[in-house]
């Protein structure tokens, strides 16, 4: 297939909750999104075939676009025929497969075991069991029977065996290998986990002898070859391979999609990371992307030559909504609500969402609770991302988002919010950036597919990124510094292209939005108080070109970190006021 003949493209994503598809074609010389559709994913019985949801999306797109995509058997026609039936290319991503359940066994909890745990956050895995030789249990440093029992009860898909710096002692590591081998020996052949050894290279032969034929053994480079050195990539690559082999490629119905796909079907999180890299390269900016789905939350950053991707397969807003609340604490979820809701009622609503993951929020309370959960899922994911990413410039407040040029949100809870101001506020609350950052939204739902589209036609991906795939929300100005509520933080003057100006003050605890439409730019003069930092140093005034968007120009003077009133009624009133100020 050559890029010259690719005009019409279908892109699909098979998610854990919903399947989405968009039709792309050339309109007046530029690639545009013609139509889109979504349908509940058909993984579970009675369907048990993910291709059926994709077909439903295609059928809906046929109705919207008034063109034929499928043949008489319901199969997508690729390439496009002379009569206009079908498309020139089809690309797809998927995240509907169950994540790999991982157990980690090693020598030291805070070193090699922790490094292996960090590596599991690179793909669709959940680390459910962590066993370390130095862990205390009932006063004993290593209780072999209980550790074997823990592995047997968990029945993991993968066991990562790690420990020992290069050329270090092997005997303690072999004790752990014995526990792993003993547990594996009790499982039937069909249930045996894959064992990945990522420890001292000199122990490979002895470990292989211990494991024997009790489980399939894969060997990679040491995850922690020295006390102060980590090497996560070998484990990450092996886990990605296992996920493809053991989970994604075994999705029922995926083979039907692969048969007509122009590129191999890719894991959504991997493709999303590649999409972030493509955006950063195209716009020559540092970019952070956040994709929150029903079961998984993914974050990716491209800053200069540095790229990192973080995935939490236990954090989502439908299948894993209760796990977010348990991990973050229900009180941390409830603090974001513009209403007073009891913990019991919140848990009831979250349980209903878990039982019925395909349902959309029916009430305003349900919607706001889902958005509150999303804030906490993103906050937890950011904490893990910061363990892997060393930014060029440290955040002004530890644990918050470091300075970045562009922040892009993706996922239904963000793209389907009733008001763009809700999406912008959600991102600002969850990540709490400082300085100046441009906010955007994957409005076309194509971020994960951008890299695949670039593989069949680079120009199509570039034009979609620049024109309509990524929707600008606006520029956010986020001052930092110690001030009391109500004190002056910054004065501003915004000059429009037509000669008009608007000036004003923003005080501590406030978030204001100035009108600045999409594609519109304005010259913004900022005059902070002497203890306020806009990203250039305390008290330093500055001028920047602000870009408009669906929300406008946002000045967020609520402080970093955000401090919410302890009283539930006052807190709810404050949250409602902020929502009102951003037009939501």
């Amino acid at each position: 297939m050559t890029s010259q003949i690719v005009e019409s493209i279908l892109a699909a994503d098979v998610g854990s909750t919903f399947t989405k598809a968009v039709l792309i074609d050339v309109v007046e010389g530029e690639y545009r999104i013609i139509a889109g559709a979504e349908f509940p994913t058909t993984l579970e019985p009675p369907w048990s075939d993910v291709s059926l949801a994709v077909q439903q999306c295609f059928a809906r797109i046929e109705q919207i676009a008034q063109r034929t995509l499928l043949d008489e058997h319901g199969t997508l026609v690729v390439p496009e025929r002379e009569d206009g039936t079908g498309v020139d290319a089809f690309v797809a991503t998927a995240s509907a497969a169950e994540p790999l359940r991982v157990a980690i066994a090693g020598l030291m909890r805070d070193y090699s075991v922790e490094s292996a745990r960090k590596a599991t956050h690179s793909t669709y895995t959940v680390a459910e069991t962590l066993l370390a030789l130095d862990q205390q249990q009932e006063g004993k440093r290593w209780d072999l029977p209980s550790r074997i029992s823990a592995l047997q009860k968990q029945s993991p898909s993968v066991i990562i065996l790690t420990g020992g710096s290069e050329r270090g002692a092997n005997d303690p590591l072999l004790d752990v290998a014995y526990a792993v081998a003993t547990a594996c020996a009790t499982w039937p052949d069909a249930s045996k986990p894959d064992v990945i050894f990522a420890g001292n290279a000199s122990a490979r032969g002895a470990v292989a002898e211990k494991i024997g034929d009790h489980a399939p053994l894969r060997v990679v480079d040491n995850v922690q070859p020295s006390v102060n050195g980590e090497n996560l990539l070998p484990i990450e690559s092996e886990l990605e391979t296992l996920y493809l082999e053991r989970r994604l490629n075994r999705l029922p119905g995926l083979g039907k999609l692969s048969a007509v796909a122009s590129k191999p079907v890719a894991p959504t999180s991997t493709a999303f990371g590649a999409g972030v890299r493509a955006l950063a390269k195209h716009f020559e900016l540092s970019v952070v992307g956040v994709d929150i789905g029903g079961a998984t939350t993914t974050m990716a950053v491209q800053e200069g030559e540095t790229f990192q991707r973080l995935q939490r397969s236990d954090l989502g807003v439908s299948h894993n909504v209760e796990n977010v609340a348990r991990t973050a604490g229900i009180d941390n979820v409830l603090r974001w609500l513009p209403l007073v809701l009891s913990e019991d009622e919140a848990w009831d609503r979250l349980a209903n969402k878990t039982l019925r993951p395909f349902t959309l929020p029916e009430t305003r309370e349900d919607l706001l609770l889902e958005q509150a959960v999303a804030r906490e899922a993103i906050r937890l994911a950011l904490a893990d991302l910061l363990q892997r990413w060393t930014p060029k410039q440290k955040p002004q407040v530890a644990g918050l988002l470091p300075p970045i040029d562009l922040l892009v949100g993706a996922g239904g809870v963000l793209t389907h919010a009733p008001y763009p101001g809700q999406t912008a506020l959600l991102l600002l609350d969850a990540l709490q950036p400082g300085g100046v950052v441009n906010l955007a939204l994957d409005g076309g739902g194509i971020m994960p597919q951008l890299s695949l589209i670039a593989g069949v036609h680079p120009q199509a991906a570039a034009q979609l990124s620049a024109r309509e795939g990524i929707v600008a929300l606006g520029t956010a100005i986020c001052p930092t510094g110690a001030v009391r509520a109500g004190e002056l933080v910054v004065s501003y003057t915004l000059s429009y292209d037509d000669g008009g100006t608007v000036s004003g003050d923003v005080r501590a605890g406030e978030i204001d939005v100035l009108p600045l439409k999409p594609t519109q730019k304005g010259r913004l003069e900022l005059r902070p108080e002497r203890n306020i930092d806009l990203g250039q140093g305390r008290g330093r005034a500055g001028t920047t070109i602000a870009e408009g968007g669906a929300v406008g120009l946002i000045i967020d003077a609520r402080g970093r970190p955000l401090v919410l009133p302890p009283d539930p009624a006052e807190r709810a009133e404050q949250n409602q006021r902020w929502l009102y100020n951003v037009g939501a």
Side-chain angles (χ1 to χ4, degrees), residues 473-536:
L473 294 175
T475 299
I477 312 296
C478 306
T480 60
V483 290
R484 295 179 180 178
E487 291 184 345
L488 180 63
V489 172
V490 63
S491 300
Y492 64 84
T493 299
L494 177 61
S495 302
Y496 295 96
D497 292 338
D498 61 5
T501 63
V502 59
S503 299
D505 301 326
V506 184
R507 298 186 177 276
E510 298 177 348
I511 182 168
D512 283 0
V513 175
L514 307 181
L516 200 61
K517 298 178 181 179
T519 72
Q520 188 179 16
K521 295 183 179 181
R523 184 174 181 271
L524 180 65
E525 298 178 38
L526 295 166
R527 300 175 295 279
E529 292 298 286
R530 63 180 182 179
N531 60 333
I532 298 299
D533 191 351
L534 298 174
Q536 304 178 88

Side-chain angles (χ1 to χ4, degrees), residues 295-308:
T296 301
T297 298
T298 302
M299 291 192 70
V301 56
Q302 181 74 46
E303 184 185 31
E305 298 300 317
T306 298
F307 173 77
Q308 287 291 344

Side-chain angles (χ1 to χ4, degrees), residues 116-430:
R117 186 195 67 82
K118 288 164 65 176
T120 64
H121 287 162
S122 65
T123 189
Y124 293 91
T125 62
V126 177
E128 297 179 328
T129 304
L130 304 177
L131 302 177
L133 195 64
D134 66 342
Q135 280 181 313
Q136 293 281 342
Q137 185 173 18
E138 297 179 355
K140 300 178 181 179
R141 288 181 60 83
W142 179 258
D143 182 5
L144 183 60
S146 67
R147 305 308 166 99
I148 294 173
S149 177
L151 287 173
Q152 291 171 329
K153 290 179 181 178
Q154 199 63 55
S155 189
S157 314
V158 178
I159 298 176
I160 298 175
L161 174 58
T162 183
S165 57
E166 290 303 293
R167 295 181 295 277
N170 290 334
D171 288 347
L173 181 59
L174 296 180
D175 289 341
V176 181
Y178 175 76
V180 171
T182 303
C184 291
T186 64
W187 287 308
D189 290 344
S191 303
K192 289 186 184 297
D194 290 278
V195 176
I196 301 175
F197 176 58
N200 187 352
S202 65
R204 289 176 178 176
V207 167
E209 186 176 343
K210 288 282 186 185
I211 300 299
D213 58 0
H214 298 311
L217 177 65
R218 298 172 179 236
V219 177
V220 300
D221 290 344
N222 196 343
V223 71
Q224 193 164 46
S226 63
V227 173
N228 297 318
E230 281 186 332
N231 184 22
L232 304 183
L233 185 59
I235 290 186
E236 292 175 344
S237 299
E238 200 64 37
L239 288 172
E240 181 91 352
T241 299
L242 280 171
Y243 174 73
L244 290 171
E245 293 176 357
R246 302 285 193 261
R247 292 289 190 266
L248 188 65
N249 291 339
R250 296 182 183 182
L251 267 179
L254 192 74
K256 299 176 185 177
L257 302 180
S258 299
V260 294
S262 306
K263 295 286 182 180
V265 178
T268 302
S269 69
T270 304
F272 180 77
V276 168
R277 301 187 73 169
L279 275 182
K281 181 179 180 181
H282 178 73
F283 292 111
E284 297 183 345
L285 299 172
S286 56
V287 179
V288 166
V290 180
D291 184 12
I292 179 165
T296 301
T297 298
T298 302
M299 291 192 70
V301 56
Q302 181 74 46
E303 184 185 31
E305 298 300 317
T306 298
F307 173 77
Q308 287 291 344
R309 177 169 54 85
L310 181 284
Q311 180 169 326
R312 287 291 299 268
S313 296
D314 58 342
L315 303 177
V317 291
S318 60
H319 298 284
N320 281 326
V321 67
E322 289 181 282
N323 191 58
V324 175
R326 282 192 296 266
T327 305
I330 191 65
D331 53 331
N332 280 331
V333 173
L334 296 179
R335 63 177 171 160
W336 300 112
L337 293 178
L339 52 95
V340 178
L341 192 68
S342 71
E343 291 188 7
D344 288 343
E345 184 175 355
W347 281 118
D348 287 344
R349 291 174 184 264
L350 296 178
N352 283 330
K353 184 66 174 182
T354 302
L355 291 172
R356 303 172 181 85
F358 299 107
T359 58
L360 298 175
E362 295 183 355
T363 66
R364 181 173 182 267
E365 290 79 7
D366 288 338
L367 173 68
L368 294 170
L369 181 59
E370 183 175 283
Q371 292 177 349
V373 170
R375 284 171 167 86
E376 288 302 306
I378 295 172
R379 182 181 65 84
L380 292 169
L382 174 64
D384 283 329
L385 178 64
L386 291 176
Q387 293 184 18
R388 307 165 64 94
W389 170 31
T390 303
K392 292 182 178 180
Q393 185 178 347
K394 292 183 179 180
Q396 294 168 332
V397 178
L400 304 184
L401 184 69
I404 206 79
D405 296 325
L406 177 63
L407 173 59
V408 183
V413 68
L414 298 175
T415 59
H416 293 338
Y419 304 98
Q422 286 182 333
T423 301
L425 190 63
L426 193 161
L427 292 172
L428 291 172
D429 288 347

